[in-house]
Amino acid sequence: MSPREGAHEPWEVLGERTIETRVPPQVDESAAGEDRLRSHIYALIGRLLAEPPGADTLELLALVEAQPSESDDLGQAWSALQAAAVDGSAEALSDEYHQLFIGLGRGELVPFGSFYMTGFLMERPLVALREDLARLGFERNDDVKEPEDHAGILCEVMAALSDDESGFDLATRAEFFRRHVGPWMGRFFSDLTTAESANFYRAVGEFARRFFEIEVAYYGDRPAVSALTSEAVVRPITVTRATPDAG
């Protein structure tokens, strides 16, 4: 996908959804604006964890303009990610992704919640996650083979929950984060920043780690009454895998 003309260039494609923004853009002071930005960042991280970026994604990432201050840790991490995208190639990043997350039998890192919380795959945390996803009306596409506790899938879910037009309230998002994301994903991102096979993905991990620190503080003291603790009916949303880049 090529950049379009206009003030804001599309830089991220998730399924059939195009997100048009600059990262980090000027944050809207309204809660809706903050939620929109939050959703876009989760979508980007989910995309990069779901599969290696193709040439189009790298080109779009490289076009984003950002001038963070020295005290802006998230902005500095974004600049490093952008620089890594400029230096990277789709072929090299495909090899890097395979070594990190797939490997021969297993990659260097295991990006699943059950593994980080219990030391084993397909354990009770995955069962609890599936129950909550069903309660919220999420479904997994048949072409997505990974278990739902994959870090990329959970970031996609958080992107959907955070979308200001999704209909999910803050309490529901906070409860889902505390149950299924907060207990382990920070450790995963930290591991990604020090993985021997990581180059581009070291920058991904640092950006995600900095963003996650903000999320932990944001959701750390939120109300517990949510759609996960009530009989609230929520419209279905399908969890999708990012469509491959052309080229």
Side-chain angles (χ1 to χ4, degrees):
M1 182 174 182
S2 300
R4 296 203 303 265
E5 296 294 333
H8 297 282
E9 306 289 359
W11 58 274
E12 172 61 9
V13 179
L14 180 64
E16 296 181 354
R17 183 170 108 185
T18 300
I19 298 170
E20 297 181 358
T21 187
R22 294 180 186 273
V23 176
Q26 294 298 316
V27 177
D28 190 327
E29 291 296 327
S30 69
E34 292 178 359
D35 288 344
R36 192 175 303 115
L37 174 59
R38 177 172 282 106
S39 177
H40 292 177
I41 294 176
Y42 271 119
L44 170 62
I45 297 171
R47 170 76 183 276
L48 295 175
L49 294 177
E51 61 185 6
D56 287 354
T57 298
L58 292 175
E59 179 183 354
L60 293 170
L61 287 173
L63 289 174
V64 176
E65 298 176 0
Q67 295 180 334
S69 67
E70 293 184 0
S71 61
D72 180 5
D73 291 337
L74 182 62
Q76 293 289 343
W78 170 258
S79 294
L81 176 57
Q82 182 185 39
V86 171
D87 293 338
S89 69
E91 182 178 0
L93 297 190
S94 179
D95 291 341
E96 180 179 335
Y97 184 92
H98 189 279
Q99 293 178 32
L100 280 169
F101 304 123
I102 301 174
L104 295 175
R106 201 186 88 176
E108 184 177 348
L109 298 180
V110 183
F112 296 97
S114 286
F115 183 84
Y116 269 82
M117 288 190 277
T118 71
F120 300 95
L121 296 172
M122 310 289 285
E123 288 293 320
R124 177 61 194 172
L126 176 59
V127 175
L129 171 62
R130 286 172 170 168
E131 291 173 349
D132 282 348
L133 288 174
R135 191 172 293 116
L136 293 174
F138 284 85
E139 298 175 349
R140 186 179 69 173
N141 280 356
D142 292 338
D143 62 341
V144 178
K145 304 305 180 184
E146 293 89 350
E148 293 88 336
D149 62 342
H150 186 282
I153 293 177
L154 283 173
C155 284
E156 291 183 13
V157 172
M158 285 301 302
L161 291 174
S162 302
D163 191 309
D164 59 302
E165 297 181 355
S166 69
F168 293 102
D169 60 22
L170 177 58
T172 297
R173 287 155 39 198
E175 187 70 9
F176 187 90
F177 182 91
R178 286 195 293 260
R179 290 188 186 189
H180 306 297
V181 180
W184 71 278
M185 205 173 287
R187 285 182 289 145
F188 166 70
F189 291 141
S190 292
D191 289 346
L192 188 54
T193 65
T194 60
E196 291 184 3
S197 304
N199 186 11
F200 171 81
Y201 274 92
R202 182 173 293 112
V204 173
E206 181 62 15
F207 176 71
R209 185 179 72 84
R210 293 296 186 181
F211 173 64
F212 191 81
E213 289 174 349
I214 296 172
E215 292 296 272
V216 169
Y218 180 72
Y219 288 122
D221 187 24
R222 296 293 174 175
V225 178
S226 72
L228 295 177
T229 55
S230 69
E231 298 300 320
V233 177
V234 182
R235 66 178 179 83
I237 295 179
T238 301
V239 178
T240 61
R241 169 185 280 281
T243 55
D245 283 295

